[in-house]
Amino acid sequence: MGAPADRPWPGTEAEAVAEQERIRRAADLASPGPAPGEVDRIAGVDVAYDPGSDLTVAAAVVLDAATLEVVEEAVHTGRSRFPYVPGLLAFRELPGVLAALEKLSAPPGLVVCDGYGYAHPRRAGLAVHLGVLTGLPCFGVAKSPFAFSHTEPGPRRGDSSPLLDGRRDPPEVVGRALRTRSGVKPVFVSAGHGIGLEHACAHTLRLTPRHRLPETTRGADGLSRRVLAEIARDRREPRGAARG
DNA sequence: GCGACAG
DNA sequence: ATCTTGTCGC
């Protein structure tokens, strides 16, 4: 898994920060984007990491937007080349994700990321970055509030509260804490490239008929983990004549 | 300077 | 992200 052919991949944190400034300037942060019903295929992407090595498996799972059934899957195995640094997650995850997306027979109409988009120190989180690199509408659904603040949303599914960046003088709304299941901890939704917060939240609710997390991220998470476990097993119990 | 901080 | 068992509930 390499870097995207047309953009330099940073080797240092300073370069990564500079690249994020460029990504933000290139991003479409204003379009309302596709509403539910206006896209046929929605993809979820995620990456699994091997604790004992630098092996990674990225997965892209495409769902039928109406039935939420899996219609296509793709994976890409590679090696992590960038450490996890809060605020720079995209540089660790995107190379593999891009490679997996390219293996799909056709690009999806929308991509859901496991992490943030606009809700980011430089407004260039994973979903914004992936959107700029692919040109696809893309938003983020994260499991924890990162460095942002929020008040507890109402207790029922669909209730929400603003996610705020308190590091700004007038605290800015960067996303939404959204309850996808009654009585269960909310998820944190933020806009990305080519889709606004309103539609991102609407899609998130459509994608969570029965679980806290969207079916897209559940699918991608499960697939990347299964493939990684498979590779790890084959290493311990080699099959066939292949070796080394 | 230190801590917190998506995955 | 990953290491980790059983348990409670829909």
Side-chain angles (χ1 to χ4, degrees), chain A residues 114-120 125-128 140 142 144-146 148 163 188-191:
Chain A
D114 187 18
Y116 282 110
Y118 185 79
H120 179 274
L126 200 53
V128 170
S144 68
F146 196 16
F148 305 105
L163 186 64
F188 304 88
V189 181
S190 58

Side-chain angles (χ1 to χ4, degrees), chain A residues 89-114:
Chain A
L89 178 63
F91 299 99
R92 177 171 173 77
E93 303 229 318
L94 291 192
V97 166
L98 289 165
L101 283 173
E102 283 168 9
K103 292 181 181 176
L104 295 174
S105 62
L110 176 66
V111 181
V112 183
C113 289
D114 187 18

Side-chain angles (χ1 to χ4, degrees), chain A residues 48-135:
Chain A
Y49 300 84
D50 181 3
S53 73
D54 57 358
L55 177 66
T56 72
V57 174
V61 172
V62 182
L63 306 185
D64 178 296
T67 65
L68 302 191
E69 285 175 21
V70 176
V71 295
E72 187 172 9
E73 298 181 329
V75 298
H76 182 269
T77 69
R79 308 199 164 280
S80 54
R81 299 179 177 184
F82 205 94
Y84 168 65
V85 179
L88 301 180
L89 178 63
F91 299 99
R92 177 171 173 77
E93 303 229 318
L94 291 192
V97 166
L98 289 165
L101 283 173
E102 283 168 9
K103 292 181 181 176
L104 295 174
S105 62
L110 176 66
V111 181
V112 183
C113 289
D114 187 18
Y116 282 110
Y118 185 79
H120 179 274
R122 288 167 293 280
R123 307 296 182 254
L126 200 53
V128 170
H129 204 137
L130 182 60
V132 168
L133 263 38
T134 62

